[in-house]
Amino acid sequence: MQHEFTIQVSPEIAAHPDRLKSKVAHKNGIPLDEIRHIQVLKRSIDARQRAIKVNLKLKVYVQEDFIEQPIVLPEYPDVSNAPEVVIIGAGPAGLFAALRCIELGCKPIVLERGKDVQARRRDLKAITRDHIVNEDSNYCFGEGGAGTYSDGKLYTRSKKRGDVHRILELLVGFGATDQILVEAHPHIGTNKLPGIITAIREKIVERGGEVHFDTRVIDFEIKNSEINGVTLLDGSTIATNKVILATGHSARDIFTLLYDKKIEIEAKPFALGVRVEHPQKLIDQIQYSCEVRGPYLPPSPYSIVKQVKGRGMYSFCMCPGGVIAPCATSPGEVVTNGWSPSKRDQPTANSGIVIELRVEDFKEFSKYGPLSGVYFQKSIEQYAWQVGGKTQKVPAQKLVDMVEGRISTNLPETSYKPGLTSADMGVVFPKFIHQTLQDGFKAFGKSMKGYLTNDAVVHAPESRTSSPVRIPRDWKTLEHTQIKGLYPCGEGAGYAGGIISAAIDGEKCAQACVATILSKTV
């Protein structure tokens, strides 16, 4: 017989199966020797009180043996000779669109401007070590997209929980730990995700799909308001009337191409700010209310939101036990992001701390029309590059010094390996952003006692939180509102915000696209 229970226990009990079994038996009046197995369905930590608890949802097998049901991938058919769909971008939206196309009987042709996951590593080292930015291969561009080497968080606020679980199960099928099905805030880790991405690509190719690296799309062929093909950087063309556009939030050349071709795009709000690094030990002490975290608790994350003079200011992509990385996509700019390895075992914690921007904030760049947010974003990144000495060194300031408007006379070494340049954030950012950050950090310090400290270092800027552009699409067909056969998809089109939501959107666009193909072949 199977029973489902929810229970709250200490971290020590949660970590020891025998202790947990005894607790479940005692609490629910079940003879201990009748419990054959306990399966953890969901796990979360409640650190709101000094006595930290672990919330567990369990399936308890009473006088019944547990038979493990492994995650099995769908039966992907051979699509070598099936109708084709061109997918631009091999991030989560593009890869999961490709898998869904195969599952539904169409052949995906994935075009990726960057390199495969292994070859990308050399270009990431070049940014860190030599301050050289490859425009086609960096933390944002290349196989797996921005998430591959910037943490692999799988948490989403999407309400489509069925879709979320499907994506998580697919990731497990391709090699992720099954703990991502259990944890409240699942995380794969930058060291683990590349292998999973490789397995997805290999499955696409094995079943007759194509994946082309170092293949940048530079033009769209359009006839009678319908996509007819794509032109590549080498001058060749691919004829197609089905294109899923999944290029990511940093594909500024695609935004510009659409604008120049008078294909409708829209400026949209996004968020921008800084990345702050604290000692992980300090965050643990604040969040867990203890001197030493102990062996049964993971490195603590934090999440904080404040309203500051009518603007939201919040933590974004918080990386416990992680590092800060250089994520520029063009020479002459500086961008930060963060990531954690799967064990989250680095001595520092970092988080983007960003404020909400509105389209009216970009009025200085209004001459660029719907690209005004792109140019606003770019102007800050380029100025930060100048302030940092025209290298990948970032402008940096101790946190209290920033709040009090004082340049830091010395900076500790942080996890950001290209290095730091002491600078006044009031010079890097427009006045309204700087003042909002100063006021917001004061509010943060009141909510998290000990957070506002000069042991923390601010790195600037954190500017690629989401796309500054939306590519409009019909809510029903998911095609562009002007161009038939063009399916704007994922983060770059403004319809997702992270690995899971991008993967979900990729599947949705693939389904909509394939449905039109199949309707014509019936």
Side-chain angles (χ1 to χ4, degrees), residues 147-199:
T148 302
Y149 289 106
S150 56
D151 205 57
K153 287 186 182 67
L154 303 178
Y155 175 65
T156 178
R157 292 182 175 86
S158 171
K159 295 180 180 178
K160 298 186 177 180
R161 303 304 301 175
D163 288 339
V164 170
H165 192 74
R166 170 183 162 84
I167 300 301
L168 292 175
E169 284 196 333
L170 285 172
L171 288 168
V172 172
F174 282 108
T177 169
D178 60 5
Q179 290 305 296
I180 66 174
L181 302 172
V182 173
E183 299 295 343
H185 293 84
H187 167 255
I188 292 178
T190 294
N191 56 321
K192 300 288 188 180
L193 196 55
I196 297 165
I197 298 298
T198 299

Side-chain angles (χ1 to χ4, degrees), residues 287-298:
Q287 295 295 87
Y288 291 146
S289 301
C290 61
E291 276 300 311
V292 179
R293 169 165 45 93
Y296 302 113
L297 288 170

Side-chain angles (χ1 to χ4, degrees), residues 86-90 109-116 136-137 141-142 210-219 230-238 247 253-254:
V86 169
I87 300 170
I88 306 176
I109 300 175
V110 182
L111 309 178
E112 169 56 50
R113 68 188 293 168
K115 301 176 183 178
D116 66 73
D136 288 319
S137 179
F141 297 143
E210 298 179 16
V211 181
H212 300 274
F213 298 112
D214 297 307
T215 304
R216 191 202 297 193
V217 172
I218 62 167
D219 202 2
V230 296
T231 302
L232 308 180
L233 183 61
D234 64 6
S236 63
T237 61
I238 299 175
T247 51
D253 57 327
I254 293 295

